[in-house]
């Protein structure tokens, strides 16, 4: 977690939205529960700066013209700091008081098909991935992998997904931060519905008002996703839902992280519920959202 408040200059080669029409907002810390340290900085006017990724920039530009616009951070173009480019967007924490934050990685896989293809074309046994595997499950490697003390990236990627609810439910909890500064990130083996429900219950502290708020927002999101042109024409992999609530009972859910989201060929579209088989590009996003809505619904008292 960190706070920064610096002056930013507009990127000269990319169109940006002027900061002048934006209403100044109080500075707000950015809680980075998971992800690469140093990827984010807090800007002025209630903005957040994320290390530049061209693919993510293209997604945000399209999303600003799509029906999904209310469900993603408003995008304000590219800025520079110390010769490093950043995508500038709304800091979603600004309108919350000491918020609790959760990151849920959506979809039935977190790797792109092209990543899988590249790894197959250039198979290179990896010692680092072997070490990661045995650290989680010493029995996971095959006899050959133990002999080599290495695993292929494709094998590691697909094995990793089976550990959590990514494969079984179409989403996984990455981590959450509670308003009392309690941080939880150990969800690599949280797999069953009961385990996920227990984690959510901990996050919302058994507050049914908060659960209702999240449930309403997720149902609205699902309806818009089913109508969205952007969603139908993109493979949405590695994207998260960001959950926010505070002590006043305010709740919000937004789609974030589009660095791996890839546009589909013109002839192809996805329903995001069909099970993935290599080549169909399906990502399981809506299947995961259906399961997430069902789990939250079951956290509410029967009326």
């Amino acid at each position: 977690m960190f706070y920064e408040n610096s002056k930013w200059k507009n990127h000269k080669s990319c169109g940006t939205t002027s900061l002048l029409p934006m209403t100044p907002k109080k500075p707000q810390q950015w809680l980075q529960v998971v992800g690469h340290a140093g990827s984010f900085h807090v800007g002025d006017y209630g903005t957040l700066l994320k290390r530049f990724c061209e693919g993510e920039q293209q997604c945000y530009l399209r999303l600003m013209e799509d029906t999904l616009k209310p469900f993603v951070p408003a995008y304000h173009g590219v800025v520079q700091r110390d010769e490093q480019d950043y995508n500038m967007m709304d800091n979603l924490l600004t309108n919350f008081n000491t918020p609790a934050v959760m990151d849920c990685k959506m979809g039935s896989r977190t790797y792109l098909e092209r990543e899988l293809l590249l790894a197959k074309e250039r198979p290179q046994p990896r010692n680092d991935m072997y070490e990661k595997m045995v650290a989680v499950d010493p029995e996971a490697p095959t006899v050959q992998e133990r002999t080599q003390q290495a695993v292929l990236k494709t094998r590691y990627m697909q094995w990793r997904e089976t550990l959590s609810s990514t494969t079984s439910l179409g989403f996984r909890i990455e981590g959450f931060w509670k308003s009392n500064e309690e941080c939880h990130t150990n969800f690599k083996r949280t797999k069953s519905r009961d385990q996920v429900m227990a984690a959510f219950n901990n996050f919302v502290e058994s507050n049914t008002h908060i659960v209702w708020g999240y449930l309403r927002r997720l149902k609205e999101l699902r309806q818009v996703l089913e109508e969205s042109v952007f969603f139908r024409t993109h493979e949405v992999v590695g994207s998260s839902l960001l959950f926010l609530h505070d002590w006043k009972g305010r709740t919000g859910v937004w789609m974030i992280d589009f660095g791996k989201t890839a546009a589909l060929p013109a002839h192809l579209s996805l329903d995001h519920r069909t099970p993935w088989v290599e080549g169909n590009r399906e990502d399981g996003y809506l299947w995961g959202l259906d399961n997430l809505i069902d789990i939250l619904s079951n956290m509410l008292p029967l009326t």
Side-chain angles (χ1 to χ4, degrees):
M1 181 180 73
F2 58 86
Y3 160 67
E4 283 191 339
N5 190 10
S6 306
K7 298 296 181 183
W8 308 98
K9 60 183 179 179
N10 283 346
H11 189 264
K12 294 180 176 59
S13 62
C14 297
T16 61
T17 302
S18 170
L19 290 178
L20 295 177
M22 298 175 64
T23 303
K25 298 178 181 178
K26 65 180 181 179
Q28 172 66 58
Q29 292 177 333
W30 175 254
L31 303 173
Q32 188 174 355
V33 181
V34 293
H36 300 291
S39 298
F40 296 95
H41 295 287
V42 175
D44 293 332
Y45 302 94
T47 61
L48 178 75
L49 305 181
K50 184 177 180 182
R51 190 177 291 273
F52 181 76
C53 165
E54 185 177 359
E56 191 158 37
Q57 176 202 35
Q58 293 305 309
C59 285
Y60 274 115
L61 290 172
R62 291 169 184 160
L63 284 163
M64 291 303 98
E65 305 296 325
D66 190 81
T67 52
L68 279 171
K69 183 177 179 180
F71 294 91
V72 298
Y75 182 67
H76 304 292
V78 184
V79 295
Q80 277 190 337
R81 182 195 183 209
D82 299 329
E83 300 184 357
Q84 172 65 53
D85 290 348
Y86 292 89
N87 282 315
M88 180 169 64
M89 61 199 74
D90 278 0
N91 184 343
L92 297 170
L93 276 61
T94 300
N95 294 317
F96 291 83
N97 288 320
T98 318
V101 184
M102 174 183 275
D103 182 304
C104 273
K105 190 75 72 180
M106 299 302 295
S108 55
R109 59 189 167 91
T110 58
Y111 49 86
L112 289 165
E113 283 203 8
R114 67 168 178 254
E115 289 182 276
L116 200 60
L117 183 63
L118 186 64
K120 284 183 176 180
E121 288 176 348
R122 303 173 188 172
Q124 294 179 333
R126 296 271 297 268
N127 299 105
D128 58 330
M129 290 183 175
Y130 175 85
E131 294 299 332
K132 287 181 180 180
M133 180 181 279
V134 296
V136 174
D137 183 359
E139 302 302 314
T142 64
V143 173
Q144 183 180 359
E145 288 165 348
R146 285 198 190 93
T147 302
Q148 292 181 322
Q149 297 280 292
V151 297
L152 295 173
K153 184 178 181 180
T154 49
R155 155 89 163 117
Y156 176 79
M157 289 191 298
Q158 293 178 312
W159 165 81
R160 182 187 59 188
E161 307 292 46
T162 65
L163 297 178
S164 70
S165 55
T166 291
T167 301
S168 59
L169 295 172
F171 73 91
R172 71 170 181 248
I173 297 171
E174 288 285 275
F176 62 78
W177 173 283
K178 296 167 72 170
S179 56
N180 64 359
E181 299 192 358
E182 190 178 305
C183 189
H184 296 261
T185 57
N186 187 21
F187 296 102
K188 286 184 176 67
R189 306 199 76 166
T190 299
K191 188 171 184 177
S192 71
R193 284 177 179 267
D194 287 344
Q195 288 174 317
V196 171
M197 191 181 295
F200 261 96
N201 206 40
N202 183 4
F203 173 60
V204 302
E205 298 181 318
S206 304
N207 187 324
T208 55
H209 174 75
I210 299 296
V211 177
W212 271 115
Y214 283 143
L215 198 53
R216 281 193 297 269
R217 178 73 168 174
L218 290 174
K219 287 181 176 179
E220 291 170 1
L221 172 60
R222 180 168 62 182
Q223 183 176 346
V224 175
L225 284 170
E226 289 174 337
E227 300 166 353
S228 165
V229 174
F230 176 92
F231 192 59
R232 189 166 59 249
T233 57
H234 284 76
E235 179 186 1
V236 184
V237 169
S239 180
S240 289
L241 288 180
L242 186 73
F243 291 75
L244 292 170
H245 68 265
D246 63 19
W247 62 272
K248 290 188 174 182
R250 287 178 292 199
T251 57
V253 182
W254 288 268
M255 298 174 70
I256 61 170
D257 295 339
F258 300 100
K260 282 191 173 184
T261 295
L264 299 169
H267 67 279
L268 195 61
S269 65
L270 304 180
D271 63 31
H272 303 277
R273 285 191 175 100
T274 298
W276 175 68
V277 293
E278 194 170 344
N280 73 359
R281 304 283 291 268
E282 288 288 352
D283 52 43
Y285 194 110
L286 277 179
W287 174 58
L289 185 55
D290 291 339
N291 284 322
L292 185 50
I293 287 171
D294 184 61
I295 287 170
L296 289 179
S297 297
N298 284 312
M299 290 172 62
L300 295 170
L302 293 173
T303 55

